[in-house]
Amino acid sequence: VDARNDLAYALIMSGDRESGKKELLSAFGDAMNPAPEISAYNLGRAYLEESNYEEAVNWFHTSISRNKGYTAPYLLLAEALAATNRMEQAVLELEKGAKEAPADAELLLALGRAYAKVGKKVEARARFEEAAKVDPSGPFGKAAGEQLQSLPR
């Protein structure tokens, strides 16, 4: 199944997007697929790249419903929602992800940024602090530290 996901993404990147999406859909429906959430995530990502936000949202939700602990779809789901001016919903989805994976610095950073965009500075500061604590020397922790510096008190 990994090979099918790889083939599908290679097709998408080569410009044969429809064949790639068909391959991902086939992989998702394969009863032998041990990780259908990855196929669903890749479908969501393909639709997001095409600015087909509703399909992207649907596939990211499908991915999450298959494995709530897989954090990648929460991030792109929030991006798709933000692209359609649904920031409050994006915040809610990132909050769900943070509950599932409270030590995921990238997710905490994204949640902090989302809070900042909707004007929730106290919540933003708390998530940036958590991200910096979880990943003090890593890229997400450092980015959180930078966000803390630029966040007005």
Side-chain angles (χ1 to χ4, degrees):
V1 174
D2 285 343
R4 291 175 73 188
N5 280 320
D6 291 345
L7 169 63
Y9 212 70
L11 287 167
I12 288 169
M13 296 307 291
S14 74
D16 192 355
R17 298 188 69 79
E18 293 309 311
S19 293
K21 289 187 294 191
K22 285 179 185 173
E23 188 63 36
L24 286 170
L25 188 58
S26 178
F28 175 76
D30 185 341
M32 300 301 290
N33 186 346
E37 67 273 14
I38 294 172
S39 300
Y41 167 77
N42 285 332
L43 274 162
R45 189 168 73 168
Y47 284 111
L48 181 62
E49 290 168 356
E50 296 170 356
S51 300
N52 185 340
Y53 301 116
E54 292 310 311
E55 275 301 311
V57 166
N58 289 338
W59 281 108
F60 292 135
H61 276 133
T62 299
S63 179
I64 291 166
S65 74
R66 294 296 180 117
N67 182 350
K68 289 180 178 34
Y70 178 45
T71 60
Y74 292 101
L75 297 165
L76 292 186
L77 172 58
E79 185 179 321
L81 292 167
T84 57
N85 297 314
R86 294 185 280 176
M87 277 308 299
E88 291 290 341
Q89 189 177 353
V91 167
L92 292 174
E93 295 296 344
L94 289 168
E95 286 173 340
K96 290 177 190 176
K99 284 181 185 170
E100 292 295 328
D104 186 310
E106 184 177 15
L107 201 50
L108 293 168
L109 175 62
L111 181 54
R113 287 177 172 158
Y115 278 138
K117 283 184 183 174
V118 298
K120 295 183 176 182
K121 305 298 184 210
V122 172
E123 292 89 343
R125 181 170 297 286
R127 295 305 82 74
F128 292 145
E129 288 171 351
E130 286 177 45
K133 183 179 178 183
V134 168
D135 187 32
S137 59
F140 304 116
K142 288 179 181 177
E146 291 169 9
Q147 293 287 315
L148 279 167
Q149 296 298 320
S150 66
L151 192 65
R153 289 210 172 254

